[in-house]
Amino acid sequence: MPLSPRLLVADQVAGTLRLLDLPDGALLGELTGRHLAEHAGFLALPGGRAAFVDDLAGELVVLDPYGPGAGRPLVEATAPVAVPAEHLAADPSGRRLAVTTGLGRNHEPWTDLLTAVDLGAPGGPRAVRVRTRVGEPGVTVLGADDPLVVVRHREPGALAAYRHADLAAAAPSCPPAVPAYETRLPDADGHGDAHDPVTGRLFAAAGSGVHRARRDGDRLVREEPLSWGGPGRGYYLRLDPVRRTLWSCVRGGPADPGRWPEWSNDAWFQGLDDDRRTGRIPLGRGLVFRLAVSSAHVAFARVHPDGDELVLLDPEEPRVVARLPLPAMDGAPRPGGTPWDGVQRRAVAASPGVPLVAVSRGGHGEVHLFDGTSPAGVLRVPTPLDEGGHLALLAPDDGAHLDPVGR
């Protein structure tokens, strides 16, 4: 009998994580006292596994979603990491990972710690912490053999490359780490990272476009940046490993966050193997941020005072194919206030192996499930999913690990 898809539902405020069977939502496993680092998100690993950072415990947690029911525990491994976790990434093999630290619940950057993890070290997972530079850094891990950890700094913009083996050999007590190679970026507003294991390229989103680089030994070779194709910029990048496409949402409009209902949002796409395959598709005004990739669609959740919706795009011939209404959230963002501080939000998740899409209803303990363009039910959990919670949808052999950056 084929294995069914699984849904990980994290309530980072309540400190719970649940593993649900799909599409019926049956509970297969549960963790309590686990507070997922929402900004770093879930990271897909080979073998149908997933990882996240517990921001309270200061641990990387590796999950085996197909373990329960097969005689294996849900938690496969843990390793200590520095927190608050900003970004999480793995090399293509899924063995060597890196975790950067950021603001957490602070107004200014204050920590410069970078953690390198080797899940396959002799005797079990091993983690080493070093110092880099204070900021809000992104991270990618290039190459399965002697991987290169590339930290994307914001102010001033730079890409700093470290050999994972050098980081793993660092002394105790968090010593400063010297990059094997460093190159400046022209922008001081970088936000959003992706890595394509097939070509070895990394991508870094910034105001002027998407900067590209590829590995050459311990060095990085810069390539011509990609244009956003119009006004605005994307704050998020996601790789579609099925259609070999890079996706983002380009935001435009007033800089004042209190005027977020006026923001414009365009889905931006760029072919990974053909630079000529690029474009933008209007999604509507309001708050659109993260997106998810299913076997049939690219999914965006749009929040607006006039009504929320799930927007589905055809990834083969990019265009909007469905706008599905979502029930309102008590405590939703309001005009005049920021759309992310002290308000409810939505998380969206999908797997490139199945047509299912899941969207949370923050504050209500609900996850709305869609099968393609058709509603497929409402899954309920006993905690409210304040701030939207966080979701990961997995399917056997879906190739999700070919997008090796946490989301």
Side-chain angles (χ1 to χ4, degrees):
M1 183 174 181
L3 295 172
S4 57
R6 302 281 193 265
L7 182 67
L8 293 168
V9 182
D11 188 326
Q12 66 270 16
V13 177
T16 63
L17 184 144
R18 290 176 175 84
L19 174 67
L20 306 182
D21 193 37
L22 295 182
D24 61 5
L27 181 66
L28 300 176
E30 184 175 9
L31 302 177
T32 58
R34 287 296 190 185
H35 295 261
L36 174 137
E38 194 271 341
H39 198 274
F42 284 109
L43 170 66
L45 296 174
R49 300 170 302 148
F52 71 95
V53 173
D54 183 333
D55 239 359
L56 188 61
E59 282 189 322
L60 174 77
V61 182
V62 179
L63 302 174
D64 178 3
Y66 288 93
R72 304 187 305 272
L74 176 56
V75 175
E76 179 181 279
T78 62
V81 298
V83 292
E86 183 79 359
H87 287 287
L88 165 66
D91 76 337
S93 76
R95 170 178 170 173
R96 298 173 181 88
L97 292 79
V99 181
T100 60
T101 50
L103 272 67
R105 294 186 180 274
N106 300 276
H107 295 293
E108 299 291 338
W110 61 280
T111 173
D112 59 359
L113 289 177
L114 166 69
T115 307
V117 180
D118 183 354
L119 294 177
R126 184 173 184 270
V128 178
R129 287 157 296 283
V130 298
R131 295 180 58 193
T132 55
R133 195 212 300 176
V134 170
E136 298 175 75
V139 66
T140 50
V141 186
L142 311 185
D145 298 321
D146 192 17
L148 205 61
V149 176
V150 182
V151 177
R152 189 260 311 144
H153 292 292
R154 292 185 70 178
E155 300 171 349
L159 296 173
Y162 306 82
R163 291 181 63 243
H164 193 284
D166 292 342
L167 298 177
S173 303
C174 305
V178 178
Y181 182 76
E182 189 167 12
T183 181
R184 291 289 298 273
L185 294 176
D187 302 282
D189 64 353
H191 195 292
D193 306 273
H195 167 215
D196 175 19
V198 174
T199 62
R201 283 192 180 95
L202 66 84
F203 303 87
S208 63
V210 180
H211 298 282
R212 299 186 292 177
R214 56 182 171 81
R215 180 179 182 177
D216 182 10
D218 289 346
R219 298 171 60 86
L220 297 174
V221 177
R222 297 273 302 280
E223 298 181 346
E224 190 72 19
L226 303 170
S227 170
W228 293 121
R233 57 81 51 97
Y235 292 85
Y236 182 76
L237 292 174
R238 182 138 205 177
L239 191 146
D240 176 352
V242 177
R243 271 77 47 162
R244 301 279 303 141
T245 305
L246 192 65
W247 289 89
S248 185
C249 178
V250 174
R251 180 187 302 162
D256 177 7
R259 296 174 62 187
W260 65 269
E262 303 173 43
W263 288 346
S264 64
N265 300 279
D266 288 355
W268 172 90
F269 65 93
Q270 173 67 55
L272 294 171
D273 303 318
D274 181 1
D275 283 355
R276 296 170 297 178
R277 185 175 183 268
T278 187
R280 288 169 57 153
I281 303 102
L283 299 174
R285 297 197 177 274
L287 176 67
V288 182
F289 183 45
R290 287 174 169 163
L291 59 103
V293 175
S294 80
S295 64
H297 301 105
V298 176
F300 298 80
R302 185 174 73 92
V303 176
H304 193 274
D306 293 338
D308 298 356
E309 62 181 8
L310 176 67
V311 186
L312 299 179
L313 271 61
D314 179 346
E316 300 287 356
E317 299 179 8
R319 59 190 175 88
V320 174
V321 294
R323 294 181 178 273
L324 306 173
L326 297 170
M329 298 178 291
D330 296 335
R334 297 179 180 275
T338 74
W340 45 69
D341 292 334
V343 294
Q344 299 296 351
R345 299 193 294 271
R346 297 189 185 275
V348 59
S351 160
V354 292
L356 298 173
V357 176
V359 187
S360 69
R361 186 186 183 199
H364 296 262
E366 295 179 359
V367 177
H368 292 252
L369 191 65
F370 297 84
D371 189 346
T373 59
S374 302
V378 179
L379 311 179
R380 292 177 171 83
V381 296
T383 61
L385 298 179
D386 284 330
E387 301 178 6
H390 206 80
L391 309 175
L393 204 159
L394 310 99
D397 303 318
D398 62 3
H401 65 281
L402 295 174
D403 178 10
V405 177
R407 308 298 183 185

mmCIF file of all heavy atoms in Angstrom, residues 373-407:
data_model
loop_
_atom_site.group_PDB
_atom_site.id
_atom_site.type_symbol
_atom_site.label_atom_id
_atom_site.label_comp_id
_atom_site.label_asym_id
_atom_site.label_seq_id
_atom_site.Cartn_x
_atom_site.Cartn_y
_atom_site.Cartn_z
ATOM 1 N N THR A 373 -7.526 22.630 -7.047
ATOM 2 C CA THR A 373 -8.359 23.812 -6.837
ATOM 3 C C THR A 373 -9.603 23.510 -6.009
ATOM 4 O O THR A 373 -10.456 24.381 -5.842
ATOM 5 C CB THR A 373 -8.781 24.401 -8.199
ATOM 6 O OG1 THR A 373 -9.507 23.409 -8.934
ATOM 7 C CG2 THR A 373 -7.566 24.836 -9.005
ATOM 8 N N SER A 374 -9.718 22.300 -5.476
ATOM 9 C CA SER A 374 -10.919 21.913 -4.732
ATOM 10 C C SER A 374 -10.649 21.862 -3.232
ATOM 11 O O SER A 374 -9.637 21.286 -2.801
ATOM 12 C CB SER A 374 -11.413 20.535 -5.186
ATOM 13 O OG SER A 374 -11.696 20.529 -6.567
ATOM 14 N N PRO A 375 -11.530 22.435 -2.406
ATOM 15 C CA PRO A 375 -11.388 22.286 -0.953
ATOM 16 C C PRO A 375 -11.434 20.816 -0.562
ATOM 17 O O PRO A 375 -12.252 20.039 -1.079
ATOM 18 C CB PRO A 375 -12.590 23.054 -0.398
ATOM 19 C CG PRO A 375 -12.967 24.005 -1.478
ATOM 20 C CD PRO A 375 -12.670 23.295 -2.761
ATOM 21 N N ALA A 376 -10.537 20.409 0.354
ATOM 22 C CA ALA A 376 -10.444 19.000 0.749
ATOM 23 C C ALA A 376 -10.620 18.809 2.240
ATOM 24 O O ALA A 376 -10.302 17.738 2.761
ATOM 25 C CB ALA A 376 -9.101 18.421 0.297
ATOM 26 N N GLY A 377 -11.130 19.828 2.935
ATOM 27 C CA GLY A 377 -11.427 19.673 4.345
ATOM 28 C C GLY A 377 -10.675 20.655 5.221
ATOM 29 O O GLY A 377 -9.778 21.374 4.775
ATOM 30 N N VAL A 378 -11.061 20.665 6.479
ATOM 31 C CA VAL A 378 -10.443 21.520 7.497
ATOM 32 C C VAL A 378 -9.890 20.620 8.593
ATOM 33 O O VAL A 378 -10.633 19.805 9.176
ATOM 34 C CB VAL A 378 -11.454 22.522 8.087
ATOM 35 C CG1 VAL A 378 -10.774 23.379 9.149
ATOM 36 C CG2 VAL A 378 -12.038 23.404 6.985
ATOM 37 N N LEU A 379 -8.603 20.733 8.863
ATOM 38 C CA LEU A 379 -7.952 19.970 9.922
ATOM 39 C C LEU A 379 -7.845 20.864 11.148
ATOM 40 O O LEU A 379 -7.441 22.023 11.046
ATOM 41 C CB LEU A 379 -6.561 19.515 9.477
ATOM 42 C CG LEU A 379 -6.477 18.843 8.101
ATOM 43 C CD1 LEU A 379 -5.037 18.465 7.787
ATOM 44 C CD2 LEU A 379 -7.386 17.635 8.033
ATOM 45 N N ARG A 380 -8.210 20.315 12.308
ATOM 46 C CA ARG A 380 -8.194 21.116 13.531
ATOM 47 C C ARG A 380 -7.192 20.546 14.529
ATOM 48 O O ARG A 380 -7.089 19.328 14.694
ATOM 49 C CB ARG A 380 -9.596 21.175 14.143
ATOM 50 C CG ARG A 380 -10.569 21.974 13.282
ATOM 51 C CD ARG A 380 -11.988 21.989 13.845
ATOM 52 N NE ARG A 380 -12.834 22.927 13.112
ATOM 53 C CZ ARG A 380 -13.450 22.636 11.968
ATOM 54 N NH1 ARG A 380 -13.308 21.425 11.437
ATOM 55 N NH2 ARG A 380 -14.189 23.535 11.355
ATOM 56 N N VAL A 381 -6.471 21.453 15.186
ATOM 57 C CA VAL A 381 -5.522 21.073 16.233
ATOM 58 C C VAL A 381 -5.947 21.774 17.523
ATOM 59 O O VAL A 381 -6.642 22.796 17.487
ATOM 60 C CB VAL A 381 -4.078 21.457 15.840
ATOM 61 C CG1 VAL A 381 -3.627 20.685 14.614
ATOM 62 C CG2 VAL A 381 -3.938 22.956 15.607
ATOM 63 N N PRO A 382 -5.534 21.246 18.681
ATOM 64 C CA PRO A 382 -6.032 21.785 19.958
ATOM 65 C C PRO A 382 -5.354 23.066 20.425
ATOM 66 O O PRO A 382 -5.709 23.577 21.486
ATOM 67 C CB PRO A 382 -5.782 20.636 20.937
ATOM 68 C CG PRO A 382 -4.668 19.867 20.351
ATOM 69 C CD PRO A 382 -4.817 19.979 18.871
ATOM 70 N N THR A 383 -4.366 23.578 19.693
ATOM 71 C CA THR A 383 -3.758 24.863 20.049
ATOM 72 C C THR A 383 -4.128 25.884 18.979
ATOM 73 O O THR A 383 -4.458 25.524 17.844
ATOM 74 C CB THR A 383 -2.229 24.743 20.168
ATOM 75 O OG1 THR A 383 -1.684 24.331 18.908
ATOM 76 C CG2 THR A 383 -1.849 23.733 21.244
ATOM 77 N N PRO A 384 -4.064 27.183 19.283
ATOM 78 C CA PRO A 384 -4.634 28.187 18.369
ATOM 79 C C PRO A 384 -3.832 28.468 17.107
ATOM 80 O O PRO A 384 -4.336 29.115 16.199
ATOM 81 C CB PRO A 384 -4.728 29.437 19.246
ATOM 82 C CG PRO A 384 -3.718 29.246 20.317
ATOM 83 C CD PRO A 384 -3.696 27.761 20.597
ATOM 84 N N LEU A 385 -2.584 28.025 17.034
ATOM 85 C CA LEU A 385 -1.711 28.404 15.915
ATOM 86 C C LEU A 385 -1.589 29.922 15.826
ATOM 87 O O LEU A 385 -1.731 30.526 14.758
ATOM 88 C CB LEU A 385 -2.217 27.827 14.584
ATOM 89 C CG LEU A 385 -2.270 26.306 14.478
ATOM 90 C CD1 LEU A 385 -2.808 25.890 13.111
ATOM 91 C CD2 LEU A 385 -0.898 25.692 14.708
ATOM 92 N N ASP A 386 -1.318 30.540 16.981
ATOM 93 C CA ASP A 386 -1.102 31.983 16.990
ATOM 94 C C ASP A 386 0.069 32.343 16.081
ATOM 95 O O ASP A 386 1.037 31.594 15.942
ATOM 96 C CB ASP A 386 -0.836 32.471 18.415
ATOM 97 C CG ASP A 386 -2.099 32.545 19.248
ATOM 98 O OD1 ASP A 386 -3.173 32.791 18.658
ATOM 99 O OD2 ASP A 386 -2.025 32.344 20.467
ATOM 100 N N GLU A 387 -0.054 33.517 15.457
ATOM 101 C CA GLU A 387 0.918 34.010 14.473
ATOM 102 C C GLU A 387 0.980 33.103 13.248
ATOM 103 O O GLU A 387 1.934 33.153 12.474
ATOM 104 C CB GLU A 387 2.305 34.186 15.099
ATOM 105 C CG GLU A 387 2.314 35.160 16.268
ATOM 106 C CD GLU A 387 3.678 35.299 16.921
ATOM 107 O OE1 GLU A 387 4.660 34.725 16.395
ATOM 108 O OE2 GLU A 387 3.760 35.987 17.954
ATOM 109 N N GLY A 388 -0.037 32.272 13.077
ATOM 110 C CA GLY A 388 -0.135 31.442 11.886
ATOM 111 C C GLY A 388 0.467 30.067 12.005
ATOM 112 O O GLY A 388 0.232 29.206 11.164
ATOM 113 N N GLY A 389 1.278 29.833 13.057
ATOM 114 C CA GLY A 389 1.979 28.568 13.136
ATOM 115 C C GLY A 389 2.918 28.400 11.956
ATOM 116 O O GLY A 389 3.268 29.356 11.254
ATOM 117 N N HIS A 390 3.331 27.164 11.713
ATOM 118 C CA HIS A 390 4.206 26.875 10.576
ATOM 119 C C HIS A 390 3.920 25.460 10.100
ATOM 120 O O HIS A 390 3.665 24.560 10.926
ATOM 121 C CB HIS A 390 5.675 27.024 10.972
ATOM 122 C CG HIS A 390 6.560 27.364 9.820
ATOM 123 N ND1 HIS A 390 6.679 28.653 9.330
ATOM 124 C CD2 HIS A 390 7.355 26.603 9.034
ATOM 125 C CE1 HIS A 390 7.520 28.666 8.314
ATOM 126 N NE2 HIS A 390 7.942 27.425 8.102
ATOM 127 N N LEU A 391 3.950 25.257 8.787
ATOM 128 C CA LEU A 391 3.547 23.996 8.190
ATOM 129 C C LEU A 391 4.623 23.455 7.267
ATOM 130 O O LEU A 391 5.364 24.216 6.644
ATOM 131 C CB LEU A 391 2.259 24.170 7.369
ATOM 132 C CG LEU A 391 1.059 24.847 8.035
ATOM 133 C CD1 LEU A 391 -0.058 25.035 7.005
ATOM 134 C CD2 LEU A 391 0.568 24.027 9.217
ATOM 135 N N ALA A 392 4.681 22.125 7.149
ATOM 136 C CA ALA A 392 5.477 21.454 6.132
ATOM 137 C C ALA A 392 4.689 20.258 5.639
ATOM 138 O O ALA A 392 4.220 19.446 6.437
ATOM 139 C CB ALA A 392 6.830 21.014 6.674
ATOM 140 N N LEU A 393 4.529 20.144 4.321
ATOM 141 C CA LEU A 393 3.796 19.049 3.711
ATOM 142 C C LEU A 393 4.798 18.170 2.971
ATOM 143 O O LEU A 393 5.593 18.666 2.166
ATOM 144 C CB LEU A 393 2.732 19.605 2.758
ATOM 145 C CG LEU A 393 1.513 18.726 2.455
ATOM 146 C CD1 LEU A 393 0.359 19.586 1.939
ATOM 147 C CD2 LEU A 393 1.822 17.636 1.446
ATOM 148 N N LEU A 394 4.769 16.867 3.260
ATOM 149 C CA LEU A 394 5.744 15.950 2.696
ATOM 150 C C LEU A 394 5.045 14.792 2.013
ATOM 151 O O LEU A 394 3.958 14.380 2.424
ATOM 152 C CB LEU A 394 6.675 15.409 3.786
ATOM 153 C CG LEU A 394 7.342 16.417 4.719
ATOM 154 C CD1 LEU A 394 6.578 16.493 6.040
ATOM 155 C CD2 LEU A 394 8.779 16.046 4.974
ATOM 156 N N ALA A 395 5.687 14.264 0.974
ATOM 157 C CA ALA A 395 5.194 13.085 0.284
ATOM 158 C C ALA A 395 6.386 12.207 -0.071
ATOM 159 O O ALA A 395 7.492 12.718 -0.272
ATOM 160 C CB ALA A 395 4.412 13.467 -0.975
ATOM 161 N N PRO A 396 6.196 10.883 -0.137
ATOM 162 C CA PRO A 396 7.327 10.003 -0.438
ATOM 163 C C PRO A 396 7.978 10.334 -1.777
ATOM 164 O O PRO A 396 7.302 10.559 -2.778
ATOM 165 C CB PRO A 396 6.670 8.618 -0.473
ATOM 166 C CG PRO A 396 5.429 8.751 0.344
ATOM 167 C CD PRO A 396 4.949 10.147 0.109
ATOM 168 N N ASP A 397 9.314 10.393 -1.759
ATOM 169 C CA ASP A 397 10.092 10.597 -2.987
ATOM 170 C C ASP A 397 9.659 11.842 -3.755
ATOM 171 O O ASP A 397 9.650 11.854 -4.999
ATOM 172 C CB ASP A 397 9.981 9.368 -3.899
ATOM 173 C CG ASP A 397 10.428 8.089 -3.213
ATOM 174 O OD1 ASP A 397 11.454 8.131 -2.503
ATOM 175 O OD2 ASP A 397 9.741 7.058 -3.366
ATOM 176 N N ASP A 398 9.304 12.902 -3.038
ATOM 177 C CA ASP A 398 8.814 14.109 -3.724
ATOM 178 C C ASP A 398 9.937 15.023 -4.211
ATOM 179 O O ASP A 398 9.677 16.002 -4.918
ATOM 180 C CB ASP A 398 7.843 14.892 -2.834
ATOM 181 C CG ASP A 398 8.483 15.411 -1.548
ATOM 182 O OD1 ASP A 398 9.700 15.222 -1.364
ATOM 183 O OD2 ASP A 398 7.755 16.001 -0.724
ATOM 184 N N GLY A 399 11.176 14.742 -3.838
ATOM 185 C CA GLY A 399 12.299 15.572 -4.287
ATOM 186 C C GLY A 399 12.371 16.923 -3.631
ATOM 187 O O GLY A 399 13.106 17.810 -4.100
ATOM 188 N N ALA A 400 11.647 17.128 -2.531
ATOM 189 C CA ALA A 400 11.646 18.434 -1.869
ATOM 190 C C ALA A 400 13.032 18.835 -1.368
ATOM 191 O O ALA A 400 13.328 20.024 -1.250
ATOM 192 C CB ALA A 400 10.650 18.433 -0.710
ATOM 193 N N HIS A 401 13.895 17.851 -1.078
ATOM 194 C CA HIS A 401 15.244 18.157 -0.577
ATOM 195 C C HIS A 401 16.115 18.823 -1.645
ATOM 196 O O HIS A 401 17.194 19.330 -1.317
ATOM 197 C CB HIS A 401 15.919 16.877 -0.086
ATOM 198 C CG HIS A 401 16.179 15.892 -1.183
ATOM 199 N ND1 HIS A 401 15.194 15.065 -1.688
ATOM 200 C CD2 HIS A 401 17.301 15.593 -1.881
ATOM 201 C CE1 HIS A 401 15.705 14.301 -2.639
ATOM 202 N NE2 HIS A 401 16.973 14.607 -2.782
ATOM 203 N N LEU A 402 15.656 18.840 -2.898
ATOM 204 C CA LEU A 402 16.403 19.535 -3.945
ATOM 205 C C LEU A 402 16.243 21.052 -3.842
ATOM 206 O O LEU A 402 16.829 21.799 -4.619
ATOM 207 C CB LEU A 402 15.967 19.041 -5.318
ATOM 208 C CG LEU A 402 16.291 17.561 -5.594
ATOM 209 C CD1 LEU A 402 15.698 17.118 -6.932
ATOM 210 C CD2 LEU A 402 17.779 17.326 -5.552
ATOM 211 N N ASP A 403 15.431 21.505 -2.878
ATOM 212 C CA ASP A 403 15.405 22.901 -2.442
ATOM 213 C C ASP A 403 15.991 22.901 -1.033
ATOM 214 O O ASP A 403 15.259 22.825 -0.051
ATOM 215 C CB ASP A 403 13.969 23.413 -2.456
ATOM 216 C CG ASP A 403 13.845 24.858 -1.959
ATOM 217 O OD1 ASP A 403 14.887 25.525 -1.783
ATOM 218 O OD2 ASP A 403 12.719 25.297 -1.729
ATOM 219 N N PRO A 404 17.337 22.976 -0.900
ATOM 220 C CA PRO A 404 17.983 22.676 0.380
ATOM 221 C C PRO A 404 18.155 23.878 1.328
ATOM 222 O O PRO A 404 19.145 23.993 2.026
ATOM 223 C CB PRO A 404 19.342 22.132 -0.055
ATOM 224 C CG PRO A 404 19.648 22.877 -1.315
ATOM 225 C CD PRO A 404 18.334 23.154 -1.970
ATOM 226 N N VAL A 405 17.150 24.762 1.347
ATOM 227 C CA VAL A 405 17.143 25.909 2.254
ATOM 228 C C VAL A 405 15.856 25.855 3.060
ATOM 229 O O VAL A 405 14.782 25.592 2.501
ATOM 230 C CB VAL A 405 17.254 27.241 1.486
ATOM 231 C CG1 VAL A 405 17.167 28.432 2.438
ATOM 232 C CG2 VAL A 405 18.558 27.296 0.690
ATOM 233 N N GLY A 406 15.935 26.084 4.367
ATOM 234 C CA GLY A 406 14.749 26.053 5.220
ATOM 235 C C GLY A 406 13.735 27.078 4.818
ATOM 236 O O GLY A 406 14.076 28.197 4.394
ATOM 237 N N ARG A 407 12.456 26.730 4.968
ATOM 238 C CA ARG A 407 11.345 27.608 4.574
ATOM 239 C C ARG A 407 10.324 27.695 5.696
ATOM 240 O O ARG A 407 9.954 26.706 6.263
ATOM 241 C CB ARG A 407 10.648 27.059 3.338
ATOM 242 C CG ARG A 407 11.573 26.737 2.171
ATOM 243 C CD ARG A 407 12.281 27.949 1.648
ATOM 244 N NE ARG A 407 13.123 27.653 0.491
ATOM 245 C CZ ARG A 407 13.922 28.531 -0.088
ATOM 246 N NH1 ARG A 407 14.017 29.758 0.378
ATOM 247 N NH2 ARG A 407 14.635 28.208 -1.132
#
